[in-house]
Structure formats: C-alpha cells, structure tokens
Amino acid sequence: MTRWLAIGALGLTQIVGYGTLYYSFGILAPAIARDFAWPPELAFGALSAALLAGGLAAPLSGRWIDCYGAGRVMTAGSLVAAAALVACAFAPSGTAFLPTLVAMEIASTLVQYSAAFPLLVQRHPQTAQRSIVYLTLIAGFASTIFWPVTTWLHGFLTWRQVYLAFAAMHLAICLPLHALLSRPSRPADTTSDAAPRRDDNPVEGSLPLVVRRKGFALMAIGLALQSFVSSAILVHMLPLLAALGLGVVGVMVGTLYGPAQVLSRFVNMVFGRNLSQLRLAMISAGLLPAAIALLLLAAPSVPGALAFAVLFGMGNGLYSIVSGTLPLVLFGSFGYGTRQGQVMAVRLVVASAAPFAFALLTEHIGVDWALAVTAAFGAGAVVAFAGIARLSRAPARLDVAVVRQESTADSGSAV
C-alpha cells in the first residue's frame, strides 16, 4: 500500500475509532444513566475512570507496537474494540457496564492516534512527520461526522443497539484496513513490520543524547499541561460560558470549535512545512492560555466568546499534531511506539483528572480564578517547550562522551 493510501485508510479508521469509542459517549450517556438508574454525573465519572485505565495501559500497548508492529496491534485492537462494544451493549447492570467501558477505553489505545502515529513512522519514517499532519486533518472530522450520526442512530435505536452497530463498523471497516496496513510497506520485503529497520532510513532525533532524559520529561510535562487545559475547558464549556453570562452562545461556540481545529491543521499543512515542530509546540501551547485570557477579558462579549472558540480550537488542533511529531523529531523513530505510549499515559491520566480538578477550583475560588489557574497551567506548557529549545543547544560533543560511556559499559557486560 502506498503512503497516500495508508494515510487515507488510517484517516477512515481514526474517524470510526474516535467517533465510536469517544465522541459518541456524550450523546448516549443520558440514556445509559437512565437505563442503570444512575445520576447523570455518574456516567461521566465512569468515563473518567475508564480513560484513566486506558492511560495506565498505554505504555504496555506502546511496547507491543515496537515489538510486534503497529499494524498488527491495530488489527488486534479492532477485534478488542468490537468485543468491548458488544459487551457494553449486553451489560445487564451498571456494575457490569463499568468494566466493559474500561475495556473499550483500553482498546482505544490500540486503534487511535497512539497506534496510528507509530504505524506511519514504521512504514515511512522519513515522511512520517508530514503524514501525521495529513492524518490529523482527516481525523479531525470525527466529531463533525459522529455527533450527528450518533444522534441520528439514537433517534430510532436504543443505546445498546447503537453500540452493536458501532461494533459492526469496527469489524467491517477498521479490521480489514488495519490487517492490510499490517503488511510490509514494500512488496519485496518479507521481514516483520515491527520496529524501523536500518534500510528504512530511520529518523535520527535532533535532541543531543546527553539531555534526552531531561528533554523527554519536559516534553511529557508540556503535553500533560496542555491536556489538562484542553480537558478541563472542553468538559465544562457550556456551564462555564453560562457562568460568565454567555450561555446563549454555547451552541455557536461549539459550532466554531471543530472547524477551528481543522483550519489550524490545514494552515499548518499548507504553510508550516518549514516550521520547526518545537516552535509549533510553543505556538500550540500559547494559543490555549491566550484564548482563556481573551475569554476572561471579553466576557460577556459575544464576539469575544467566538474569538475564544476559534483560538482554543486552533490550539487544540495543533496540539494533536505536535503530540505525534514532536517525539519523532526530538528522539527519532527508534522506540517511537514506546515513547508514544508513555506520553499517552501521562496525557490520559491528567485528562481524566482535569474536569474534577477544575470543578473543585470553580467551587472554592470561583470561575474567574479557576480560569486564571488553568491559563497558568497552559503558560507552563510554553515554558516546558522553551526549556527543550534550550536543551537542544547543548554541545554536540557531549554526545560523544555518552556514546563512549555506553560502549565501555557494553564491553564490561560482555566480559
């Protein structure tokens, strides 16, 4: 399969994966809560617990991706996702539903970006950076497509039947495409499609070896802080706007947010070819607190709220790109799946806790101060990425010393 066909096929599976395993839950949650006699907030609490479990499972899935190949993991993930959706549909009680929801979110780590990005890196390392940009542009339509599709299906199907229909999509669409993508990228190549091979021209990381441990920590912190800001604001978007006197524009804000994400990815695709990924990370991180600050200063202005939606959507759109390209550029293609799993774990754990933390902040210090604290977290992400830029200027000669130390250690262990 050519690079462009691989991107197109992955784009389709990502739309299905995110649409069925994530975006649909908000629409089906009220019916699920009624069916199990839960208060509405308990359904979203169950989702937070499931997202946390998915985050804890992400490092293991990343190691599997490096060991067995992303295509094979995604193929197995399609089966696991379908089985989890079927189990959700037949759960007889809320107690039985919770572990099936956990299984569904664990399956998402096998079929969503955390696996799709490594697949692109493993198949075509040298062009993976641009391929990730194209993939996120396609997958950005997941919410635009699946919110109305889920609403339409739920108009004449129960939530259980909707989940069965989604399971069928994973078997009919995602499974065969992932199986096709698990094949080697070159017809003449019969070796495993696992970790990148020497003749694949693997990408060498730009960050000096001696500072990579610090650089990874800073990158994980920066992406985690962005995840906190994104999750906290998106979950509380409508009540937040209402508290600021902007409840009437909630629908308009939601309408602008999705297209703004896609717009930012399109602009980056067309004009960002020569922009470093570290600089793009700082721009992405900076847009989120800037949007919050604009909302605080402009509320209850409707134009200000709409501008907030555009800036926040653009920041989140670029964030999806950076989360895939920055680890590749800084650390290279070798071990990329493992690193993605580790970063995804931190992001999902933080994202699962962010809505609850923001609610506590709002209750104890008020909406304005809660937003100010959240914006400060976003600014912290900019500082973390700036720290990586400083590390990247470390003298390259230190790498030689590190290599010599590693060689000496290897020789000693051989003896």
Side-chain angles (χ1 to χ4, degrees), residues 38-87:
W38 283 352
E41 60 271 18
L42 184 56
F44 289 99
L47 178 63
S48 293
L51 288 171
L52 176 61
L56 296 176
L60 179 59
S61 66
R63 290 194 293 271
W64 286 346
I65 286 168
D66 279 338
C67 183
Y68 303 110
R72 294 174 182 173
V73 170
M74 295 187 81
T75 302
S78 297
L79 292 171
V80 175
L85 286 164
V86 170

Side-chain angles (χ1 to χ4, degrees), residues 126 201-207 212 328-334:
Q126 292 296 327
N201 296 317
V203 175
E204 300 293 337
S206 63
L207 202 61
R212 286 195 175 184
L328 175 63
V329 170
L330 294 180
F331 305 102
S333 56
F334 182 76

Side-chain angles (χ1 to χ4, degrees), residues 20 24 28 85 89 146 149-169:
T20 60
S24 65
L28 301 177
L85 286 164
F146 265 85
V149 166
T150 305
T151 302
W152 174 71
L153 287 173
H154 196 35
F156 59 90
L157 297 176
T158 67
W159 68 268
R160 296 177 185 273
Q161 292 168 333
V162 171
Y163 271 155
L164 289 176
F166 288 167
M169 289 183 188

Side-chain angles (χ1 to χ4, degrees), residues 129-307:
Q129 182 177 322
R130 297 302 296 172
S131 297
I132 288 172
V133 174
Y134 301 139
L135 177 62
T136 57
L137 181 64
I138 298 171
F141 291 99
S143 61
T144 305
I145 293 172
F146 265 85
W147 277 336
V149 166
T150 305
T151 302
W152 174 71
L153 287 173
H154 196 35
F156 59 90
L157 297 176
T158 67
W159 68 268
R160 296 177 185 273
Q161 292 168 333
V162 171
Y163 271 155
L164 289 176
F166 288 167
M169 289 183 188
H170 279 272
L171 294 176
I173 299 173
C174 300
L175 178 61
L177 288 177
H178 289 157
L180 188 62
L181 287 165
S182 68
R183 297 177 181 178
S185 57
R186 291 190 300 272
D189 189 353
T190 58
T191 60
S192 171
D193 188 30
R197 296 171 293 275
R198 184 177 299 275
D199 61 349
D200 277 331
N201 296 317
V203 175
E204 300 293 337
S206 63
L207 202 61
L209 292 174
V210 72
V211 297
R212 286 195 175 184
R213 185 181 296 273
K214 292 180 180 178
F216 184 83
L218 286 172
M219 181 186 71
I221 290 170
L223 293 175
L225 289 174
Q226 280 188 273
S227 182
F228 180 94
V229 175
S230 175
S231 180
I233 298 299
L234 288 178
V235 170
H236 292 280
M237 180 78 78
L238 293 182
L240 174 65
L241 292 173
L244 294 172
L246 290 159
V248 293
V249 300
V251 176
M252 286 189 289
V253 168
T255 302
L256 285 176
Y257 171 78
Q261 285 195 99
V262 176
L263 174 64
S264 67
R265 294 167 185 171
F266 180 76
V267 170
N268 179 65
M269 181 182 70
V270 176
F271 300 106
R273 185 176 296 273
N274 297 321
L275 183 66
S276 76
Q277 295 307 295
L278 192 54
R279 188 174 297 275
L280 185 66
M282 286 188 276
I283 293 172
S284 168
L287 284 172
L288 300 184
I292 296 173
L294 177 62
L295 181 64
L296 278 171
L297 293 173
S301 165
V302 173
L306 298 180

